[in-house]
Amino acid sequence: MRRSNYDKFPAISVGDADQCAVGWSAIAAQLNGAGVICIECYPGVDMERLEAELLREMGSRRVFEASTAYKSPDCIRPMLHQFLGDDPVFGRMNGLTIEDWLDETKIASMRNEIASLASARALVIGTGASLLVPDADLLIYADMARWEIQMRFRRSEAGNLGCNNREASFAEKYKCGYFAEWRAADRLKKQLLPRADFVLDTNDNDTPKMISGESFRTALESAVHRPFRVVPYFDPGPWGGHWMEEICDLPKDAPNHAWCFDCVPEENSIVLGFGAHRVEIPAIDLVFLHPKELLGEAVHARFGTEFPIRFDFLDTMGGGNLSLQVHPLTEYIQDKFGMHYTQDESYYLLDAKPGACVYLGLKEGIDQQKMAGDLRLAQAGGYMFPAEQYVNQFPAKKHDHFLIPAGTIHCSGKDSMVLEISATPYIFTFKLWDWNRLGLDGRPRPIHLDHGLANIQWDRTTTWARENLVNAVRPVSTADGWTEEATGLHAREFIETRRHWFSGTVLHDTRGGVNVLNLVQGEEAVVESPANRFPPFVVHYAETFIVPAAVGAYTIRPHGIAVGMECATIKAFVRTGLTTQG
């Protein structure tokens, strides 16, 4: 069995232990001298626990909960419904802000009550707290990872903001978070992080950690000038496999592991190391505070404070086919969902068993109406859609690269391990056929046949797919110890990918745009700065890492047990006038 050296808990060393307060007692000691304390909370933070622990440590202090200034659930739900609608998965992007949850009359009443306190010893806590007391003596931002929020949704430990729906389904709560409350909370977060006095890590209620706002901002300034990894997370699925269990050293306590999100800053977190202490914050905080240094001028101008490149794993080794699916065209996602760019993607094969395949593009001469009719029969139940009659099955082997511009019907087949390289709008998948199986909850997964049929590009048939989407590899350059190849993506996609095979040192340059890489062959490599601008950064097989635009020149070479062996990386970057070369 292969020895795993995959790091599941990467950290960025940024400071000393004495910069981090650990535990409720230490945190309260740093806050207790202030008069009006505001703790702005990201939705999902356990405010009951936060309030109880701080009051236990800080003694008598008048508490004002931001939630008491919210509109009633009967007012909030219609406000949300206009953007969420009735679809179980999709809503519409919008401009909601946290102010939209608040009642102006209740705000005025609470402010008057706080102002009337003789001792002015108030604790104002919750999502929207900073809007109630904009001139508080101390502003603490209580943050948490998006993945932990999802876990709390699943355990019915959290509901949506002001909705009193803790017992609602995970899908309902996630949809509301994705399309509404997280967007609104992020708009407020962008305003507060540059001036917060403290940042509080609330991922672990038993061991919270707090750093000063100055330490937080200094840490992010350091992080954005060096390569780094986000914290990956893994999840089972109805088609999941078992490759990651071995390669990523995962516990065998789940039926399988289908997904790994290894570079989705909107969902992943980063860990900041202060001596032996670890402070976990959402990776999107780095995007918000340092978009130009991280993304580069041209990418920031195009995407704003969004990280446009996504790397994730799809494991079907010993599992099943993914759902047969298609992603929306740009105009469709703009018109229907308010997103300004769509999910173009590609499959890079990290591994595959003999007989593995990728379903990609339509066969020549099919009858569109008959295919649509067969899909509707299958959706109605009791009929197995004959996918092989309509969709190409291209053989798949290790290091193959399949390009999937939006509108192309596709899915990964069983017994393969895919590194998915894509644009970031990651929930906009229109399932057409799910192989007549149930989700892990025992229920059918949502099918979006009308959306899917409206986006399939029927002219992307066998010959076109083979010529344009399958292993479109061309040599770029070669030197002593390395070779560079372009592997895509398709001209309709804004991401460019380059593969480097190397046994020596390869010189890279961000050329003013963010780079995302994965070590797709070789046990270990080291990323270094020719000018010693950051410490050597070691990466292991299958690990994804980000090189911020501000890094500029960097090198990669085999390291440790990989010295003398051939390694390979796949690198992705946004095609712009400033980043045309790898």
Side-chain angles (χ1 to χ4, degrees):
M1 180 175 290
R2 181 179 185 144
R3 180 183 64 85
S4 174
N5 57 5
Y6 183 93
D7 185 359
K8 299 188 293 296
F9 307 104
I12 308 170
S13 180
V14 291
D16 300 322
D18 60 6
Q19 295 175 261
C20 181
V22 180
W24 296 110
S25 295
I27 290 168
Q30 294 199 25
L31 306 181
N32 211 13
V36 177
I37 299 173
C38 173
I39 304 182
E40 177 67 43
C41 298
Y42 202 80
V45 169
D46 186 346
M47 286 175 282
E48 294 177 3
R49 179 76 181 273
L50 181 58
E51 177 183 327
E53 295 286 356
L54 289 180
L55 285 181
R56 180 173 59 83
E57 296 291 341
M58 298 172 72
S60 60
R61 186 175 283 269
R62 183 73 183 277
V63 177
F64 295 85
E65 298 175 355
S67 59
T68 62
Y70 291 172
K71 298 171 183 174
S72 71
D74 289 341
C75 291
I76 291 173
R77 291 191 187 106
M79 175 187 76
L80 295 174
H81 188 266
Q82 62 181 315
F83 303 112
L84 300 182
D86 298 317
D87 188 280
V89 177
F90 302 122
R92 185 173 180 85
M93 292 300 184
N94 53 79
L96 287 173
T97 65
I98 295 300
E99 287 91 336
D100 292 312
W101 272 259
L102 297 172
D103 182 291
E104 291 184 5
T105 302
K106 294 177 181 179
I107 292 173
S109 175
M110 184 177 290
R111 285 177 176 168
N112 289 335
E113 193 171 355
I114 293 171
S116 69
L117 291 178
S119 64
R121 288 176 60 80
L123 176 64
V124 186
I125 183 172
T127 304
S130 61
L131 301 172
L132 304 175
V133 283
D135 299 317
D137 297 303
L138 276 183
L139 170 62
I140 299 94
Y141 196 93
D143 215 345
M144 67 184 308
R146 189 74 58 79
W147 180 237
E148 174 60 22
I149 298 172
Q150 294 179 56
M151 293 298 97
R152 295 183 184 189
F153 280 169
R154 292 181 184 182
R155 298 190 297 260
S156 297
E157 295 173 1
N160 295 119
L161 201 61
C163 291
N164 292 340
N165 67 338
R166 185 174 291 187
E167 299 302 322
S169 70
F170 169 79
E172 178 183 334
K173 291 184 287 188
Y174 180 86
K175 176 185 167 183
C176 183
Y178 183 91
F179 286 99
E181 66 183 20
W182 296 341
R183 308 294 168 175
D186 284 346
R187 293 184 177 103
L188 181 57
K189 175 190 275 193
K190 292 177 189 179
Q191 301 173 35
L192 299 181
L193 288 183
R195 62 183 180 88
D197 297 298
F198 293 95
V199 172
L200 179 60
D201 170 4
T202 64
N203 289 284
D204 182 348
N205 280 330
D206 294 327
T207 313
K209 304 177 185 73
M210 189 175 75
I211 55 176
S212 71
E214 181 181 359
S215 294
F216 168 77
R217 290 182 285 272
T218 299
L220 295 192
E221 172 70 26
S222 174
V224 82
H225 287 89
R226 64 173 82 176
F228 66 91
R229 293 184 62 225
V230 299
V231 180
Y233 65 84
F234 305 84
D235 214 20
W239 41 262
H242 304 279
W243 188 90
M244 291 188 293
E245 292 172 1
E246 178 183 344
I247 301 302
C248 303
D249 190 27
L250 303 181
K252 306 296 193 298
D253 57 356
N256 59 62
H257 288 90
W259 285 280
C260 170
F261 288 83
D262 203 13
C263 179
V264 189
E266 191 174 83
E267 295 275 322
N268 292 106
S269 56
I270 56 176
V271 171
L272 305 175
F274 291 89
H277 303 316
R278 298 290 182 263
V279 176
E280 185 175 3
I281 63 167
I284 198 68
D285 292 358
L286 186 61
V287 185
F288 290 163
L289 266 67
H290 294 282
K292 293 180 182 179
E293 298 96 324
L294 177 62
L295 303 176
E297 291 281 356
V299 180
H300 177 231
R302 182 172 178 181
F303 293 98
T305 51
E306 293 186 15
F307 195 93
I309 302 172
R310 181 187 82 168
F311 276 37
D312 62 273
F313 293 156
L314 306 171
D315 183 352
T316 68
M317 288 289 225
N321 299 334
L322 271 66
S323 62
L324 192 65
Q325 59 194 244
V326 66
H327 299 299
L329 300 172
T330 301
E331 60 269 28
Y332 196 89
I333 202 170
Q334 290 173 342
D335 292 344
K336 299 294 185 182
F337 307 112
M339 295 287 292
H340 64 279
Y341 66 107
T342 192
Q343 187 172 324
D344 295 304
E345 64 184 27
S346 69
Y347 288 165
Y348 188 92
L349 271 293
L350 287 178
D351 208 348
K353 291 183 179 180
C357 74
V358 168
Y359 291 76
L360 185 64
L362 297 162
K363 291 191 173 181
E364 306 287 0
I366 65 164
D367 184 325
Q368 296 180 24
Q369 297 303 317
K370 187 174 187 307
M371 176 176 162
D374 283 349
L375 284 168
R376 295 195 187 281
L377 283 174
Q379 185 181 18
Y383 176 73
M384 294 291 289
F385 176 70
E388 292 77 7
Q389 291 183 22
Y390 296 105
V391 184
N392 300 308
Q393 293 175 272
F394 290 104
K397 64 182 186 304
K398 187 173 183 177
H399 294 304
D400 282 349
H401 200 178
F402 299 87
L403 315 181
I404 312 171
T408 308
I409 193 169
H410 68 281
C411 77
S412 175
K414 64 180 181 179
D415 292 333
S416 62
M417 181 63 206
V418 169
L419 168 63
E420 186 177 49
I421 301 172
S422 76
T424 299
Y426 51 89
I427 74 165
F428 290 94
T429 297
F430 300 145
K431 295 183 182 68
L432 303 167
W433 166 241
D434 206 19
W435 310 98
N436 204 29
R437 66 188 166 204
L438 301 177
L440 295 182
D441 60 1
R443 300 176 180 178
R445 297 199 298 167
I447 300 293
H448 287 90
L449 199 49
D450 289 336
H451 284 313
L453 290 172
N455 282 274
I456 292 174
Q457 299 302 284
W458 299 96
D459 59 345
R460 295 183 186 171
T461 53
T462 307
T463 301
W464 187 91
R466 183 181 291 112
E467 293 177 352
N468 290 274
L469 305 182
V470 180
N471 287 326
V473 178
R474 59 179 177 84
V476 175
S477 59
T478 187
D480 185 28
W482 59 268
T483 299
E484 178 183 2
E485 301 167 330
T487 68
L489 295 186
H490 187 262
R492 290 187 61 90
E493 304 182 63
F494 65 76
I495 295 173
E496 176 72 17
T497 55
R498 298 292 175 88
R499 179 170 57 199
H500 289 81
W501 300 96
F502 59 97
S503 57
T505 300
V506 186
L507 177 63
H508 294 256
D509 198 306
T510 64
R511 299 185 184 272
V514 64
N515 291 181
V516 181
L517 302 93
N518 187 284
L519 185 64
V520 296
Q521 180 164 303
E523 294 295 317
E524 191 171 283
V526 61
V527 188
E528 296 170 299
S529 167
N532 296 315
R533 292 177 178 169
F534 57 81
F537 178 73
V538 175
V539 295
H540 308 102
Y541 176 63
E543 291 180 354
T544 297
F545 59 102
I546 296 169
V547 182
V551 166
Y554 62 100
T555 63
I556 304 178
R557 60 180 175 86
H559 185 260
I561 61 175
V563 171
M565 302 179 182
E566 185 177 54
C567 298
T569 56
I570 188 78
K571 174 171 68 174
F573 55 93
V574 175
R575 292 187 183 118
T576 71
L578 296 178
T579 56
T580 55
Q581 299 295 318

